[in-house]
Amino acid sequence: MEGNQSWIAEFILVGFQLSEDMELVLFGIFSLLYTFNLLANGMILGLICLDPRLHTPMYYFLSHLAITDISYASSNLPNLLANLVKHTKNISFVLCTLQMIFNLTFASIECLILVVMSYDRFVAICHPLQYTVIMNWRVCMFLAIACWACGFSLAIVQVSLFLRLPFCGPQKVNHFFCEIQSVLKVTCGDIWINEMFLFAEGVFILVGPLSLMLVSYVHILWAILKIQSKEGRKKAFSTCSSHLCVVGFYFGIAMMVYLAPESSHREEQKKILFLFYTLFNPLLNPLVYSVRNAQVKAAFHRVLQKRTV
């Protein structure tokens, strides 16, 4: 027990066992996907800022979603890319701790922003005459600030509980970044409190919001079916189906990772799910909300026309 310590210099991220040539190939692929993520979400942010017609609650929350996607990917991928190109797997204790804070913060914020967006669609479709009163800018700003504050607070609680634990032996984390469940497995202390809080946070951030969204969309679907205009039904359904696509993908993966029972066989599957989530989920939101959204496409054409005039 003399080797126990509460502060260590670094962790070793085991990741995937690959040859150096394969690591360079993955570096190229991941770099392209990361660049597309920055460009696509940056485009969404730029359009929302430049086009006054997109200065509405829906696009205000979409801009927060874009910021969250950029931030989440940027908290994981730069270190992963550096390790791939250098063929190393080390990460400092401080950087690992910061990575856990950012991962938990931005993952929680995205869940909460998606809930707020579903509430915005619920008010817009079920109470259209009261929409501007209910979703005024003061309410929108309060909801956005509450999402960020809640996400950051939950992350600080989790990491504070982690920092109280001692460490001993080789610090090999079976992941490609500092995911808190994987890091907890290399500690020497009793982690039942950490696991209990993680499960409670998963229920609070995933099950609770998903239940609220399902209730909202049952009401929305009922309201859409009552719309007399075929064009109106099509427009309302298109907007809501885009949001449901994002929600299903995001919450589906998160619930498989954090709420499904643990097993040694699932560790490799979880790494693949996290990799897929880190690389492709940040690209999904701009693709869904731009390719399938007439207002965003129209805003893009207007911006291009202004640039060419």
Side-chain angles (χ1 to χ4, degrees):
M1 296 297 292
E2 293 179 0
N4 284 5
Q5 56 184 34
S6 58
W7 183 270
I8 57 175
E10 64 181 16
F11 290 105
I12 300 171
L13 299 174
V14 176
F16 300 102
Q17 303 298 320
L18 303 168
S19 65
E20 291 189 357
D21 290 339
M22 181 56 68
E23 286 184 340
L24 289 176
V25 171
L26 291 180
F27 170 79
I29 296 172
F30 294 171
S31 297
L32 283 175
L33 291 172
Y34 182 46
T35 303
F36 289 150
N37 165 30
L38 297 179
L39 291 174
N41 283 290
M43 182 195 73
I44 291 289
L45 282 173
L47 288 176
I48 292 171
C49 291
L50 293 172
D51 196 321
R53 299 185 192 185
L54 298 184
H55 293 175
T56 63
M58 176 183 173
Y59 294 103
Y60 173 71
F61 295 126
L62 182 57
S63 68
H64 282 273
L65 199 62
I67 293 170
T68 304
D69 283 333
I70 291 173
S71 302
Y72 183 84
S74 298
S75 67
N76 298 326
L77 288 177
N79 183 76
L80 173 61
L81 293 174
N83 286 349
L84 286 174
V85 76
K86 294 177 183 177
H87 309 298
T88 60
K89 298 183 178 181
N90 299 342
I91 185 171
S92 69
F93 183 89
V94 174
L95 185 56
C96 185
T97 304
L98 288 174
Q99 204 172 68
M100 281 189 286
I101 292 174
F102 292 144
N103 288 332
L104 291 168
T105 297
F106 297 127
S108 299
I109 291 170
E110 181 145 357
C111 285
L112 297 173
I113 289 290
L114 289 172
V115 176
V116 172
M117 289 179 72
S118 70
Y119 175 69
D120 173 70
R121 292 300 86 205
F122 166 75
V123 176
I125 294 172
C126 298
H127 303 284
L129 298 179
Q130 299 174 294
Y131 180 74
T132 54
V133 176
I134 297 174
M135 296 301 294
N136 60 68
W137 283 112
R138 182 177 296 180
V139 170
C140 291
M141 290 181 66
F142 170 79
L143 290 172
I145 292 170
C147 290
W148 284 83
C150 186
F152 184 72
S153 300
L154 290 171
I156 289 297
V157 170
Q158 293 290 353
V159 175
S160 298
L161 290 171
F162 161 76
L163 292 174
R164 71 181 175 83
L165 297 169
F167 295 88
C168 56
Q171 307 308 320
K172 292 184 178 181
V173 177
N174 188 21
H175 218 293
F176 58 88
F177 74 95
C178 285
E179 192 272 323
I180 190 164
Q181 287 182 321
S182 299
V183 179
L184 284 173
K185 291 177 182 177
V186 303
T187 63
C188 298
D190 190 351
I191 62 172
W192 75 269
I193 295 179
N194 303 72
E195 291 177 332
M196 181 184 70
F197 270 84
L198 269 175
F199 183 79
E201 183 179 331
V203 173
F204 174 73
I205 288 293
L206 297 173
V207 179
L210 186 58
S211 301
L212 290 173
M213 281 187 282
L214 289 176
V215 171
S216 295
Y217 275 100
V218 168
H219 286 87
I220 288 171
L221 180 60
W222 184 250
I224 289 174
L225 294 175
K226 289 182 178 179
I227 296 175
Q228 299 296 324
S229 167
K230 184 178 179 180
E231 188 64 30
R233 285 199 303 271
K234 183 180 177 181
K235 183 179 179 181
F237 185 77
S238 176
T239 302
C240 293
S241 61
S242 299
H243 188 250
L244 278 173
C245 178
V246 173
V247 167
F249 183 83
Y250 183 88
F251 279 82
I253 290 180
M255 292 180 81
M256 282 190 287
V257 169
Y258 286 107
L259 298 181
E262 281 289 324
S263 69
S264 57
H265 179 67
R266 288 189 66 251
E267 284 195 27
E268 295 303 312
Q269 295 176 347
K270 282 175 62 176
K271 284 194 287 185
I272 295 171
L273 284 174
F274 264 109
L275 187 63
F276 191 80
Y277 178 81
T278 304
L279 290 168
F280 292 101
N281 187 68
L283 284 171
L284 179 66
N285 292 334
L287 287 175
V288 168
Y289 287 109
S290 58
V291 174
R292 298 194 61 191
N293 193 302
Q295 285 182 291
V296 172
K297 288 189 284 188
F300 182 72
H301 290 309
R302 285 194 293 271
V303 170
L304 284 181
Q305 287 173 357
K306 287 181 182 179
R307 296 295 180 185
T308 55
V309 172

